[in-house]
Amino acid sequence: MVENYVRMSGRQQGKELEYIRCGTTSQKIACRNAADQRRTSTRKMSVRRRRNRRAKRFCTAAAGIVLCLGIVAVVQGVQHSLAGFTMELPGQTGMNTVAIDGGDISSNAGLPDFTEELQELLERNEETQDYVENYPNRTQYSSQAIDLTEDFTTGEVPLLMQWDKRWGYNAYGDSMIGLAGCGPLCLNMAYLYFTEDLTMTPRKMAEFVQDAGYYTAAGTGWKLWTEGVSKLGMEGAELSLDEGAMQRALDTGGLIVCSMRPGDFTTTGHFILIRGYGEDGFYVNDPNRRSTSGKTWTFDTLKGQIKNLWVLRRE
């Protein structure tokens, strides 16, 4: 038996050694079964380890794929933001969206993108829909020649909109005329009425106001209506908020510029031009809305909304 044991392989010798140590046949069988159970348990543990390793590798690979997809989505989102965004038009039945391109134009070089401001403008004033829709095409309007012949009639105060496409996309300070140009537009309407000089377009008037230093971070400065207008051959003076004083100023050939509080004309701040009055109230040229310009306003309605006012005349 010893000779046979010597001839066995190392693995077999180990197994047989376990059996020899057991003594009796029944003990050997029991030992053999116990050894088999240990080997089976070991194999099962090995199988579980391999499965766990495969599961870990799979989870790692899946996490990598998800991370890559996330990075791609972020990059695409950034590219989309840089190229512009699609803006929904509120309250427009049957319309889809307006694509807003955020690229710079020469007259707006260095300015931020105005898509959010345009969205808010359209929500407040549906008259601006055409202006907002054409924002992607602003380059074709921002440098074209402006002819005011059809906008002006001798002896009448012209009604000009700050968001007119012909000049509304041009820069005014760090904004655009269409968004912040109510001051230059009121001055332009008064200037045309007094001088009939149609070469002074809203684009040029906005440049004059800004270059002369009357554009501030808060908008058009009030000094424009006193010292600034004198540079244009006009004179301006503060006027008391009194119905009779306003009527007398208009009766003597003047026009009245009003700085407005939030109310019927604005949610923040705004300038309007009063051009006359009648039995039912005052006639207003609002450079932001035709609808408010086409009606009369009583003094009682206006007085609570006027912060300050000035009378403008030809020198």
Side-chain angles (χ1 to χ4, degrees), residues 168-202:
Y169 303 117
N170 288 100
Y172 180 51
D174 57 0
S175 186
M176 294 190 299
I177 296 175
L179 295 172
C182 54
L185 264 292
C186 285
L187 181 56
N188 205 169
M189 290 187 281
Y191 179 85
L192 293 177
Y193 172 71
F194 290 130
T195 68
E196 300 187 7
D197 177 12
L198 301 185
T199 63
M200 178 60 81
T201 65

PDB file of all heavy atoms in Angstrom, residues 168-202:
ATOM      1  N   GLY A 168     -34.990  99.689 -34.736  1.00  0.00           N
ATOM      2  CA  GLY A 168     -35.168  99.058 -33.427  1.00  0.00           C
ATOM      3  C   GLY A 168     -34.083  98.095 -33.010  1.00  0.00           C
ATOM      4  O   GLY A 168     -33.909  97.824 -31.812  1.00  0.00           O
ATOM      5  N   TYR A 169     -33.298  97.557 -33.972  1.00  0.00           N
ATOM      6  CA  TYR A 169     -32.234  96.618 -33.630  1.00  0.00           C
ATOM      7  C   TYR A 169     -30.894  97.321 -33.393  1.00  0.00           C
ATOM      8  O   TYR A 169     -29.934  96.684 -32.969  1.00  0.00           O
ATOM      9  CB  TYR A 169     -32.060  95.589 -34.746  1.00  0.00           C
ATOM     10  CG  TYR A 169     -33.320  94.823 -35.067  1.00  0.00           C
ATOM     11  CD1 TYR A 169     -33.918  94.909 -36.330  1.00  0.00           C
ATOM     12  CD2 TYR A 169     -33.942  94.029 -34.111  1.00  0.00           C
ATOM     13  CE1 TYR A 169     -35.074  94.217 -36.630  1.00  0.00           C
ATOM     14  CE2 TYR A 169     -35.105  93.332 -34.404  1.00  0.00           C
ATOM     15  CZ  TYR A 169     -35.670  93.431 -35.673  1.00  0.00           C
ATOM     16  OH  TYR A 169     -36.824  92.741 -35.952  1.00  0.00           O
ATOM     17  N   ASN A 170     -30.826  98.600 -33.679  1.00  0.00           N
ATOM     18  CA  ASN A 170     -29.575  99.332 -33.469  1.00  0.00           C
ATOM     19  C   ASN A 170     -29.311  99.545 -31.989  1.00  0.00           C
ATOM     20  O   ASN A 170     -30.235  99.618 -31.177  1.00  0.00           O
ATOM     21  CB  ASN A 170     -29.615 100.680 -34.201  1.00  0.00           C
ATOM     22  CG  ASN A 170     -29.514 100.523 -35.703  1.00  0.00           C
ATOM     23  OD1 ASN A 170     -30.508 100.575 -36.410  1.00  0.00           O
ATOM     24  ND2 ASN A 170     -28.309 100.320 -36.197  1.00  0.00           N
ATOM     25  N   ALA A 171     -28.038  99.660 -31.665  1.00  0.00           N
ATOM     26  CA  ALA A 171     -27.641  99.778 -30.263  1.00  0.00           C
ATOM     27  C   ALA A 171     -28.051 101.120 -29.675  1.00  0.00           C
ATOM     28  O   ALA A 171     -28.023 102.159 -30.336  1.00  0.00           O
ATOM     29  CB  ALA A 171     -26.130  99.597 -30.145  1.00  0.00           C
ATOM     30  N   TYR A 172     -28.428 101.064 -28.401  1.00  0.00           N
ATOM     31  CA  TYR A 172     -28.617 102.271 -27.586  1.00  0.00           C
ATOM     32  C   TYR A 172     -28.025 101.967 -26.222  1.00  0.00           C
ATOM     33  O   TYR A 172     -28.617 101.236 -25.428  1.00  0.00           O
ATOM     34  CB  TYR A 172     -30.092 102.634 -27.473  1.00  0.00           C
ATOM     35  CG  TYR A 172     -30.350 103.881 -26.643  1.00  0.00           C
ATOM     36  CD1 TYR A 172     -29.659 105.058 -26.903  1.00  0.00           C
ATOM     37  CD2 TYR A 172     -31.270 103.864 -25.596  1.00  0.00           C
ATOM     38  CE1 TYR A 172     -29.880 106.201 -26.146  1.00  0.00           C
ATOM     39  CE2 TYR A 172     -31.500 104.998 -24.834  1.00  0.00           C
ATOM     40  CZ  TYR A 172     -30.799 106.172 -25.115  1.00  0.00           C
ATOM     41  OH  TYR A 172     -31.024 107.305 -24.351  1.00  0.00           O
ATOM     42  N   GLY A 173     -26.830 102.506 -25.991  1.00  0.00           N
ATOM     43  CA  GLY A 173     -26.101 102.139 -24.785  1.00  0.00           C
ATOM     44  C   GLY A 173     -25.769 100.665 -24.813  1.00  0.00           C
ATOM     45  O   GLY A 173     -25.254 100.149 -25.806  1.00  0.00           O
ATOM     46  N   ASP A 174     -26.086  99.958 -23.745  1.00  0.00           N
ATOM     47  CA  ASP A 174     -25.852  98.519 -23.706  1.00  0.00           C
ATOM     48  C   ASP A 174     -27.123  97.747 -24.027  1.00  0.00           C
ATOM     49  O   ASP A 174     -27.237  96.564 -23.729  1.00  0.00           O
ATOM     50  CB  ASP A 174     -25.310  98.097 -22.333  1.00  0.00           C
ATOM     51  CG  ASP A 174     -26.242  98.492 -21.195  1.00  0.00           C
ATOM     52  OD1 ASP A 174     -27.300  99.092 -21.464  1.00  0.00           O
ATOM     53  OD2 ASP A 174     -25.912  98.200 -20.033  1.00  0.00           O
ATOM     54  N   SER A 175     -28.077  98.423 -24.651  1.00  0.00           N
ATOM     55  CA  SER A 175     -29.322  97.775 -25.039  1.00  0.00           C
ATOM     56  C   SER A 175     -29.593  98.054 -26.518  1.00  0.00           C
ATOM     57  O   SER A 175     -28.675  98.363 -27.275  1.00  0.00           O
ATOM     58  CB  SER A 175     -30.481  98.289 -24.157  1.00  0.00           C
ATOM     59  OG  SER A 175     -31.671  97.577 -24.432  1.00  0.00           O
ATOM     60  N   MET A 176     -30.847  97.958 -26.935  1.00  0.00           N
ATOM     61  CA  MET A 176     -31.255  98.276 -28.292  1.00  0.00           C
ATOM     62  C   MET A 176     -32.325  99.355 -28.244  1.00  0.00           C
ATOM     63  O   MET A 176     -33.059  99.490 -27.248  1.00  0.00           O
ATOM     64  CB  MET A 176     -31.810  97.040 -29.010  1.00  0.00           C
ATOM     65  CG  MET A 176     -30.816  95.946 -29.272  1.00  0.00           C
ATOM     66  SD  MET A 176     -31.476  94.660 -30.384  1.00  0.00           S
ATOM     67  CE  MET A 176     -32.876  94.055 -29.431  1.00  0.00           C
ATOM     68  N   ILE A 177     -32.472 100.090 -29.343  1.00  0.00           N
ATOM     69  CA  ILE A 177     -33.489 101.139 -29.402  1.00  0.00           C
ATOM     70  C   ILE A 177     -34.871 100.548 -29.163  1.00  0.00           C
ATOM     71  O   ILE A 177     -35.703 101.131 -28.466  1.00  0.00           O
ATOM     72  CB  ILE A 177     -33.439 101.867 -30.760  1.00  0.00           C
ATOM     73  CG1 ILE A 177     -32.105 102.593 -30.921  1.00  0.00           C
ATOM     74  CG2 ILE A 177     -34.592 102.849 -30.885  1.00  0.00           C
ATOM     75  CD1 ILE A 177     -31.916 103.252 -32.274  1.00  0.00           C
ATOM     76  N   GLY A 178     -35.120  99.374 -29.713  1.00  0.00           N
ATOM     77  CA  GLY A 178     -36.434  98.757 -29.568  1.00  0.00           C
ATOM     78  C   GLY A 178     -36.787  98.413 -28.142  1.00  0.00           C
ATOM     79  O   GLY A 178     -37.974  98.307 -27.799  1.00  0.00           O
ATOM     80  N   LEU A 179     -35.781  98.245 -27.293  1.00  0.00           N
ATOM     81  CA  LEU A 179     -36.018  97.881 -25.901  1.00  0.00           C
ATOM     82  C   LEU A 179     -35.915  99.070 -24.950  1.00  0.00           C
ATOM     83  O   LEU A 179     -36.609  99.101 -23.931  1.00  0.00           O
ATOM     84  CB  LEU A 179     -35.014  96.807 -25.464  1.00  0.00           C
ATOM     85  CG  LEU A 179     -35.120  95.456 -26.171  1.00  0.00           C
ATOM     86  CD1 LEU A 179     -33.940  94.574 -25.786  1.00  0.00           C
ATOM     87  CD2 LEU A 179     -36.432  94.767 -25.837  1.00  0.00           C
ATOM     88  N   ALA A 180     -35.049 100.037 -25.252  1.00  0.00           N
ATOM     89  CA  ALA A 180     -34.777 101.107 -24.294  1.00  0.00           C
ATOM     90  C   ALA A 180     -34.794 102.498 -24.909  1.00  0.00           C
ATOM     91  O   ALA A 180     -34.434 103.466 -24.246  1.00  0.00           O
ATOM     92  CB  ALA A 180     -33.419 100.862 -23.633  1.00  0.00           C
ATOM     93  N   GLY A 181     -35.240 102.625 -26.143  1.00  0.00           N
ATOM     94  CA  GLY A 181     -35.106 103.898 -26.856  1.00  0.00           C
ATOM     95  C   GLY A 181     -36.300 104.825 -26.788  1.00  0.00           C
ATOM     96  O   GLY A 181     -36.462 105.682 -27.665  1.00  0.00           O
ATOM     97  N   CYS A 182     -37.123 104.738 -25.748  1.00  0.00           N
ATOM     98  CA  CYS A 182     -38.301 105.615 -25.670  1.00  0.00           C
ATOM     99  C   CYS A 182     -37.905 107.082 -25.571  1.00  0.00           C
ATOM    100  O   CYS A 182     -38.578 107.962 -26.140  1.00  0.00           O
ATOM    101  CB  CYS A 182     -39.195 105.215 -24.504  1.00  0.00           C
ATOM    102  SG  CYS A 182     -38.349 105.121 -22.905  1.00  0.00           S
ATOM    103  N   GLY A 183     -36.807 107.386 -24.844  1.00  0.00           N
ATOM    104  CA  GLY A 183     -36.355 108.764 -24.725  1.00  0.00           C
ATOM    105  C   GLY A 183     -35.950 109.369 -26.059  1.00  0.00           C
ATOM    106  O   GLY A 183     -36.481 110.416 -26.464  1.00  0.00           O
ATOM    107  N   PRO A 184     -35.006 108.761 -26.784  1.00  0.00           N
ATOM    108  CA  PRO A 184     -34.635 109.281 -28.095  1.00  0.00           C
ATOM    109  C   PRO A 184     -35.815 109.370 -29.069  1.00  0.00           C
ATOM    110  O   PRO A 184     -35.868 110.295 -29.877  1.00  0.00           O
ATOM    111  CB  PRO A 184     -33.585 108.274 -28.584  1.00  0.00           C
ATOM    112  CG  PRO A 184     -32.996 107.723 -27.343  1.00  0.00           C
ATOM    113  CD  PRO A 184     -34.121 107.654 -26.360  1.00  0.00           C
ATOM    114  N   LEU A 185     -36.757 108.429 -28.975  1.00  0.00           N
ATOM    115  CA  LEU A 185     -37.898 108.468 -29.893  1.00  0.00           C
ATOM    116  C   LEU A 185     -38.814 109.646 -29.587  1.00  0.00           C
ATOM    117  O   LEU A 185     -39.324 110.306 -30.508  1.00  0.00           O
ATOM    118  CB  LEU A 185     -38.668 107.160 -29.841  1.00  0.00           C
ATOM    119  CG  LEU A 185     -38.325 106.111 -30.923  1.00  0.00           C
ATOM    120  CD1 LEU A 185     -38.762 106.598 -32.298  1.00  0.00           C
ATOM    121  CD2 LEU A 185     -36.839 105.788 -30.920  1.00  0.00           C
ATOM    122  N   CYS A 186     -39.062 109.940 -28.303  1.00  0.00           N
ATOM    123  CA  CYS A 186     -39.868 111.112 -27.944  1.00  0.00           C
ATOM    124  C   CYS A 186     -39.178 112.387 -28.428  1.00  0.00           C
ATOM    125  O   CYS A 186     -39.825 113.296 -28.971  1.00  0.00           O
ATOM    126  CB  CYS A 186     -40.091 111.167 -26.445  1.00  0.00           C
ATOM    127  SG  CYS A 186     -41.309 109.980 -25.826  1.00  0.00           S
ATOM    128  N   LEU A 187     -37.873 112.460 -28.221  1.00  0.00           N
ATOM    129  CA  LEU A 187     -37.123 113.630 -28.673  1.00  0.00           C
ATOM    130  C   LEU A 187     -37.146 113.731 -30.187  1.00  0.00           C
ATOM    131  O   LEU A 187     -37.274 114.841 -30.741  1.00  0.00           O
ATOM    132  CB  LEU A 187     -35.682 113.544 -28.160  1.00  0.00           C
ATOM    133  CG  LEU A 187     -34.758 114.703 -28.528  1.00  0.00           C
ATOM    134  CD1 LEU A 187     -35.342 116.036 -28.080  1.00  0.00           C
ATOM    135  CD2 LEU A 187     -33.377 114.487 -27.918  1.00  0.00           C
ATOM    136  N   ASN A 188     -37.039 112.618 -30.875  1.00  0.00           N
ATOM    137  CA  ASN A 188     -37.053 112.617 -32.332  1.00  0.00           C
ATOM    138  C   ASN A 188     -38.391 113.111 -32.878  1.00  0.00           C
ATOM    139  O   ASN A 188     -38.454 113.901 -33.826  1.00  0.00           O
ATOM    140  CB  ASN A 188     -36.757 111.220 -32.854  1.00  0.00           C
ATOM    141  CG  ASN A 188     -36.158 111.210 -34.246  1.00  0.00           C
ATOM    142  OD1 ASN A 188     -35.674 110.187 -34.721  1.00  0.00           O
ATOM    143  ND2 ASN A 188     -36.163 112.346 -34.946  1.00  0.00           N
ATOM    144  N   MET A 189     -39.490 112.655 -32.262  1.00  0.00           N
ATOM    145  CA  MET A 189     -40.816 113.111 -32.715  1.00  0.00           C
ATOM    146  C   MET A 189     -40.968 114.615 -32.528  1.00  0.00           C
ATOM    147  O   MET A 189     -41.494 115.318 -33.401  1.00  0.00           O
ATOM    148  CB  MET A 189     -41.908 112.344 -31.964  1.00  0.00           C
ATOM    149  CG  MET A 189     -42.012 110.882 -32.350  1.00  0.00           C
ATOM    150  SD  MET A 189     -43.432 110.029 -31.618  1.00  0.00           S
ATOM    151  CE  MET A 189     -42.836 109.721 -29.940  1.00  0.00           C
ATOM    152  N   ALA A 190     -40.496 115.129 -31.378  1.00  0.00           N
ATOM    153  CA  ALA A 190     -40.565 116.572 -31.136  1.00  0.00           C
ATOM    154  C   ALA A 190     -39.664 117.336 -32.106  1.00  0.00           C
ATOM    155  O   ALA A 190     -40.056 118.386 -32.653  1.00  0.00           O
ATOM    156  CB  ALA A 190     -40.171 116.873 -29.692  1.00  0.00           C
ATOM    157  N   TYR A 191     -38.474 116.832 -32.323  1.00  0.00           N
ATOM    158  CA  TYR A 191     -37.521 117.490 -33.219  1.00  0.00           C
ATOM    159  C   TYR A 191     -38.076 117.576 -34.641  1.00  0.00           C
ATOM    160  O   TYR A 191     -37.984 118.630 -35.296  1.00  0.00           O
ATOM    161  CB  TYR A 191     -36.201 116.724 -33.200  1.00  0.00           C
ATOM    162  CG  TYR A 191     -35.151 117.302 -34.117  1.00  0.00           C
ATOM    163  CD1 TYR A 191     -34.329 118.343 -33.694  1.00  0.00           C
ATOM    164  CD2 TYR A 191     -34.971 116.800 -35.408  1.00  0.00           C
ATOM    165  CE1 TYR A 191     -33.364 118.871 -34.536  1.00  0.00           C
ATOM    166  CE2 TYR A 191     -34.009 117.322 -36.254  1.00  0.00           C
ATOM    167  CZ  TYR A 191     -33.213 118.361 -35.821  1.00  0.00           C
ATOM    168  OH  TYR A 191     -32.268 118.894 -36.657  1.00  0.00           O
ATOM    169  N   LEU A 192     -38.634 116.513 -35.149  1.00  0.00           N
ATOM    170  CA  LEU A 192     -39.202 116.524 -36.495  1.00  0.00           C
ATOM    171  C   LEU A 192     -40.356 117.522 -36.593  1.00  0.00           C
ATOM    172  O   LEU A 192     -40.518 118.216 -37.607  1.00  0.00           O
ATOM    173  CB  LEU A 192     -39.678 115.124 -36.877  1.00  0.00           C
ATOM    174  CG  LEU A 192     -38.595 114.047 -37.048  1.00  0.00           C
ATOM    175  CD1 LEU A 192     -39.229 112.692 -37.346  1.00  0.00           C
ATOM    176  CD2 LEU A 192     -37.607 114.420 -38.143  1.00  0.00           C
ATOM    177  N   TYR A 193     -41.169 117.590 -35.564  1.00  0.00           N
ATOM    178  CA  TYR A 193     -42.304 118.520 -35.564  1.00  0.00           C
ATOM    179  C   TYR A 193     -41.819 119.966 -35.628  1.00  0.00           C
ATOM    180  O   TYR A 193     -42.367 120.791 -36.377  1.00  0.00           O
ATOM    181  CB  TYR A 193     -43.141 118.291 -34.313  1.00  0.00           C
ATOM    182  CG  TYR A 193     -44.227 119.314 -34.092  1.00  0.00           C
ATOM    183  CD1 TYR A 193     -45.356 119.356 -34.914  1.00  0.00           C
ATOM    184  CD2 TYR A 193     -44.116 120.248 -33.051  1.00  0.00           C
ATOM    185  CE1 TYR A 193     -46.358 120.300 -34.701  1.00  0.00           C
ATOM    186  CE2 TYR A 193     -45.120 121.192 -32.832  1.00  0.00           C
ATOM    187  CZ  TYR A 193     -46.227 121.208 -33.665  1.00  0.00           C
ATOM    188  OH  TYR A 193     -47.225 122.151 -33.456  1.00  0.00           O
ATOM    189  N   PHE A 194     -40.784 120.282 -34.846  1.00  0.00           N
ATOM    190  CA  PHE A 194     -40.302 121.653 -34.785  1.00  0.00           C
ATOM    191  C   PHE A 194     -39.441 122.044 -35.986  1.00  0.00           C
ATOM    192  O   PHE A 194     -39.476 123.195 -36.437  1.00  0.00           O
ATOM    193  CB  PHE A 194     -39.501 121.876 -33.498  1.00  0.00           C
ATOM    194  CG  PHE A 194     -40.328 121.882 -32.245  1.00  0.00           C
ATOM    195  CD1 PHE A 194     -39.966 121.099 -31.152  1.00  0.00           C
ATOM    196  CD2 PHE A 194     -41.468 122.669 -32.150  1.00  0.00           C
ATOM    197  CE1 PHE A 194     -40.718 121.105 -29.993  1.00  0.00           C
ATOM    198  CE2 PHE A 194     -42.234 122.678 -30.989  1.00  0.00           C
ATOM    199  CZ  PHE A 194     -41.867 121.889 -29.909  1.00  0.00           C
ATOM    200  N   THR A 195     -38.630 121.114 -36.491  1.00  0.00           N
ATOM    201  CA  THR A 195     -37.631 121.468 -37.510  1.00  0.00           C
ATOM    202  C   THR A 195     -37.956 120.957 -38.908  1.00  0.00           C
ATOM    203  O   THR A 195     -37.413 121.488 -39.892  1.00  0.00           O
ATOM    204  CB  THR A 195     -36.256 120.920 -37.109  1.00  0.00           C
ATOM    205  OG1 THR A 195     -36.279 119.482 -37.180  1.00  0.00           O
ATOM    206  CG2 THR A 195     -35.881 121.341 -35.688  1.00  0.00           C
ATOM    207  N   GLU A 196     -38.741 119.906 -38.998  1.00  0.00           N
ATOM    208  CA  GLU A 196     -39.035 119.245 -40.289  1.00  0.00           C
ATOM    209  C   GLU A 196     -37.760 118.721 -40.952  1.00  0.00           C
ATOM    210  O   GLU A 196     -37.708 118.534 -42.172  1.00  0.00           O
ATOM    211  CB  GLU A 196     -39.787 120.182 -41.237  1.00  0.00           C
ATOM    212  CG  GLU A 196     -41.121 120.651 -40.681  1.00  0.00           C
ATOM    213  CD  GLU A 196     -41.939 121.445 -41.686  1.00  0.00           C
ATOM    214  OE1 GLU A 196     -41.524 121.527 -42.867  1.00  0.00           O
ATOM    215  OE2 GLU A 196     -42.999 121.973 -41.296  1.00  0.00           O
ATOM    216  N   ASP A 197     -36.761 118.451 -40.151  1.00  0.00           N
ATOM    217  CA  ASP A 197     -35.492 117.918 -40.648  1.00  0.00           C
ATOM    218  C   ASP A 197     -35.572 116.389 -40.650  1.00  0.00           C
ATOM    219  O   ASP A 197     -35.287 115.742 -39.639  1.00  0.00           O
ATOM    220  CB  ASP A 197     -34.344 118.401 -39.762  1.00  0.00           C
ATOM    221  CG  ASP A 197     -33.003 117.827 -40.175  1.00  0.00           C
ATOM    222  OD1 ASP A 197     -32.907 117.239 -41.277  1.00  0.00           O
ATOM    223  OD2 ASP A 197     -32.039 117.944 -39.386  1.00  0.00           O
ATOM    224  N   LEU A 198     -35.911 115.821 -41.799  1.00  0.00           N
ATOM    225  CA  LEU A 198     -36.124 114.379 -41.880  1.00  0.00           C
ATOM    226  C   LEU A 198     -34.826 113.584 -41.926  1.00  0.00           C
ATOM    227  O   LEU A 198     -34.863 112.353 -41.925  1.00  0.00           O
ATOM    228  CB  LEU A 198     -36.975 114.055 -43.112  1.00  0.00           C
ATOM    229  CG  LEU A 198     -38.363 114.706 -43.173  1.00  0.00           C
ATOM    230  CD1 LEU A 198     -39.146 114.199 -44.373  1.00  0.00           C
ATOM    231  CD2 LEU A 198     -39.135 114.482 -41.887  1.00  0.00           C
ATOM    232  N   THR A 199     -33.685 114.288 -41.958  1.00  0.00           N
ATOM    233  CA  THR A 199     -32.416 113.558 -41.938  1.00  0.00           C
ATOM    234  C   THR A 199     -32.087 113.063 -40.524  1.00  0.00           C
ATOM    235  O   THR A 199     -31.228 112.196 -40.364  1.00  0.00           O
ATOM    236  CB  THR A 199     -31.261 114.442 -42.436  1.00  0.00           C
ATOM    237  OG1 THR A 199     -31.092 115.564 -41.558  1.00  0.00           O
ATOM    238  CG2 THR A 199     -31.558 114.952 -43.852  1.00  0.00           C
ATOM    239  N   MET A 200     -32.759 113.635 -39.525  1.00  0.00           N
ATOM    240  CA  MET A 200     -32.544 113.179 -38.155  1.00  0.00           C
ATOM    241  C   MET A 200     -33.456 111.979 -37.901  1.00  0.00           C
ATOM    242  O   MET A 200     -34.622 112.105 -37.554  1.00  0.00           O
ATOM    243  CB  MET A 200     -32.835 114.284 -37.149  1.00  0.00           C
ATOM    244  CG  MET A 200     -32.673 113.840 -35.696  1.00  0.00           C
ATOM    245  SD  MET A 200     -31.000 113.240 -35.275  1.00  0.00           S
ATOM    246  CE  MET A 200     -30.149 114.811 -35.006  1.00  0.00           C
ATOM    247  N   THR A 201     -32.904 110.808 -38.083  1.00  0.00           N
ATOM    248  CA  THR A 201     -33.660 109.567 -37.900  1.00  0.00           C
ATOM    249  C   THR A 201     -33.524 109.089 -36.451  1.00  0.00           C
ATOM    250  O   THR A 201     -32.628 109.545 -35.722  1.00  0.00           O
ATOM    251  CB  THR A 201     -33.117 108.483 -38.840  1.00  0.00           C
ATOM    252  OG1 THR A 201     -31.762 108.160 -38.453  1.00  0.00           O
ATOM    253  CG2 THR A 201     -33.137 108.946 -40.291  1.00  0.00           C
ATOM    254  N   PRO A 202     -34.385 108.192 -36.009  1.00  0.00           N
ATOM    255  CA  PRO A 202     -34.230 107.646 -34.658  1.00  0.00           C
ATOM    256  C   PRO A 202     -32.866 107.010 -34.414  1.00  0.00           C
ATOM    257  O   PRO A 202     -32.350 107.064 -33.285  1.00  0.00           O
ATOM    258  CB  PRO A 202     -35.359 106.611 -34.579  1.00  0.00           C
ATOM    259  CG  PRO A 202     -36.416 107.172 -35.466  1.00  0.00           C
ATOM    260  CD  PRO A 202     -35.662 107.770 -36.618  1.00  0.00           C
TER     261      PRO A 202
END
